[in-house]
Amino acid sequence: MEKVLSGIRSTGQLHLGNYFGALRNFVKLQHEKECYFFIANVHALTTHNDPVQLRESVKSVLTEYIACGLDPDVAAIYIQSDLPETYELYTLLNMLAYKGELEKTVSFKEKARKSPNNVNAGLLTYPVLMAADILIHRAHKVPVGKDQEQHLEMARNFAQRFNHRYEEDFFPEPFAFNFGDELVKVPGLDGNGKMGKSEGVNNAIFLRDDDQTIQKKVMKAKTDGGPQSENSEKPEEIKNLFTLLNLVSNTDTVQFFEDKWNDCGIRYGDLKKQLAQDMINFVTPIREKIVDLEQNDALLQKIARRVLKKPVQVLM
Ligand code: TRP
C-alpha cells in the first residue's frame, strides 16, 4: 500500500492556511492510505529555539491535529524527536547534499534574509532533515502546500543519489500531493503573500480565534477603491479575499459576490461580513474541540506515545 507522510512545524498555533494547505488532505488521506503524520519540533528549532515555547507548541499542534479530525486509531501520529532514527538517516543524506544547492533553496534564502543573525547550519540543511522524515518511512505521497514543492524536489534528488550510490530502488521518490491536484496557496489578509504565523497577527485566522477576533481581522483586511469598469481583473488583495471565500463559503455565495464584482456593485463591507461569518462557522466546531482536548493531558500523552510505545520526551 502506498505510504503517506507529512508534518507541520511546531512554531505556534495553526491557522486556516495550515488547514486548507495540509491538514484537510491529511484527514481525507488517513482512511485511504497508510499514513504517518508528525509534529516537526526539530525543524522548529531552526528558527524557534525557546524551550518553553517549543514544548507548548508541540502540545498545541497535537491538540489541533486531533481537533481537525486526525484519528490516532487509523494514522500514526508522532513527534519528530521521538523517532531519532530520522537523525541517523539525516547524517547519511547530508553526505549526498551539496552546499551550493542548499544555499540556493528559496526557503533558506528567505529565512536567512529575515534573521541574518541566526543563519545556523540546521537552517541550511533543513531540506535534508525533511528528506529524512519522508524517506525513513519510504513514503510516496506528501500532502503539503505549494511552498514545500522545492523541498520535495530536493528529497527526490537525495533519494535518487542514495539509490544510485548504494542500492537501486531502495527509496521511492516522494511527491507532493493534493486532492484537488493543484497545490494550494492560501493567501493572508494583508493583501500579499501566503497566510502565515510570522506575517503579523492580523494576517492569519487561527483555528483558536474566537468570533470577535475573526470579525476584526477580516474587517481590517486590505481592499482597494473598488472596480473601475465591468468585468475587470481583480487586484491581488481582492483576489485573495475571493480565494478565501471560495474555501469557506458555498458556491452560491461566491457566485453572488463574483457577479457583484463584475457589475461594479460590490460592497467590500458586505463581502467581508459574509467572509467573516463563514470563517466563524467553519472555525467554531474546531475551536470547541481544541478547548476540550487541551484539558485532557492524559489523553494527549497517550496519543503521542501510542506509535512509539515509549515515554514521550517533550510533550509536557
Ligand atoms: N517543511 C514543512 C513545513 O514547513 C514541515 C515538514 C518538515 C515536513 N518535515 C516534513 C512536511 C516532511 C512534510 C514532510 O511546512
Side-chain angles (χ1 to χ4, degrees):
M1 172 139 60
E2 263 193 334
K3 290 185 193 172
V4 169
L5 168 128
S6 196
I8 295 180
R9 294 208 304 154
S10 46
T11 54
Q13 300 176 358
L14 302 188
H15 46 70
L16 289 181
N18 299 119
Y19 184 84
F20 289 109
L23 267 164
R24 174 172 66 165
N25 283 320
F26 299 4
V27 174
K28 274 204 224 165
L29 278 165
Q30 66 183 345
H31 299 294
E32 297 179 9
K33 311 269 182 209
E34 182 176 330
C35 285
Y36 299 83
F37 298 118
F38 72 104
I39 297 164
N41 62 336
V42 184
H43 274 112
L45 276 173
T46 58
T47 52
H48 289 60
N49 49 24
D50 181 287
V52 175
Q53 275 178 14
L54 195 67
R55 264 170 216 271
E56 276 174 15
S57 294
V58 170
K59 179 179 165 185
S60 114
V61 174
L62 180 62
T63 308
E64 288 158 345
Y65 271 4
I66 307 299
C68 286
L70 282 195
D71 181 351
D73 284 337
V74 284
I77 298 168
Y78 67 96
I79 299 164
Q80 190 179 26
S81 60
D82 282 329
L83 188 65
E85 290 82 353
T86 309
Y87 315 146
E88 293 181 22
L89 181 55
Y90 166 64
T91 304
L92 298 177
L93 295 177
N94 264 325
M95 313 308 166
L96 302 168
Y98 298 101
K99 177 170 162 274
E101 64 184 336
L102 295 171
E103 281 171 344
K104 275 196 286 188
T105 315
V106 174
S107 62
F108 172 72
K109 288 198 289 195
E110 225 169 73
K111 285 174 182 160
R113 184 175 50 78
K114 272 196 195 150
S115 310
N117 296 324
N118 188 25
V119 186
N120 58 72
L123 199 60
L124 183 69
T125 56
Y126 185 112
V128 187
L129 182 59
M130 180 159 160
D133 293 327
I134 300 167
L135 299 177
I136 194 88
H137 298 291
R138 295 195 163 105
H140 303 83
K141 289 202 161 91
V142 186
V144 281
K146 201 170 173 52
D147 59 323
Q148 299 299 311
E149 231 171 356
Q150 189 179 30
H151 291 153
L152 261 296
E153 190 187 333
M154 295 172 84
R156 287 194 290 280
N157 288 337
F158 302 146
Q160 272 171 10
R161 286 175 207 163
F162 187 99
N163 291 349
H164 184 67
R165 191 165 301 174
Y166 300 109
E167 192 178 321
E168 273 317 305
D169 297 327
F170 189 79
F171 289 126
E173 285 181 30
F175 284 88
F177 175 81
N178 180 55
F179 266 103
D181 290 339
E182 247 178 80
L183 296 184
V184 181
K185 183 184 130 190
V186 181
L189 290 167
D190 61 2
N192 49 49
K194 63 166 186 171
M195 186 174 282
K197 305 175 189 112
S198 47
E199 337 285 325
V201 278
N202 287 326
N203 177 50
I205 301 290
F206 294 95
L207 300 176
R208 293 168 192 255
D209 279 348
D210 60 28
D211 299 4
Q212 286 96 323
T213 308
I214 294 177
Q215 222 146 20
K216 253 196 239 153
K217 286 182 183 177
V218 175
M219 294 322 273
K220 274 194 200 148
K222 198 174 164 210
T223 47
D224 68 341
Q228 301 303 315
S229 59
E230 290 187 2
N231 303 313
S232 58
E233 173 102 14
K234 300 185 189 86
E236 168 137 25
E237 63 268 26
I238 305 303
K239 220 188 276 167
N240 289 352
L241 292 182
F242 273 90
T243 304
L244 293 168
L245 197 68
N246 252 302
L247 292 171
V248 293
S249 304
N250 63 40
T251 44
D252 290 349
T253 306
V254 177
Q255 197 52 51
F256 174 82
F257 285 105
E258 286 285 358
D259 293 344
K260 288 271 176 208
W261 167 268
N262 284 330
D263 67 17
C264 297
I266 195 160
R267 294 207 310 226
Y268 289 141
D270 294 347
L271 169 67
K272 287 175 168 180
K273 251 186 236 152
Q274 183 72 47
L275 178 60
Q277 190 52 51
D278 289 336
M279 282 179 165
I280 289 168
N281 293 344
F282 182 82
V283 163
T284 302
I286 299 178
R287 184 186 61 233
E288 285 169 355
K289 280 192 205 131
I290 292 173
V291 172
D292 226 34
L293 266 165
E294 222 159 25
Q295 318 292 323
N296 199 341
D297 276 355
L299 176 64
L300 291 172
Q301 279 279 5
K302 208 168 113 192
I303 291 169
R305 201 181 281 154
R306 181 148 177 178
V307 178
L308 302 154
K309 302 209 167 38
K310 64 183 182 185
V312 174
Q313 314 262 331
V314 295
L315 193 52
M316 277 138 217

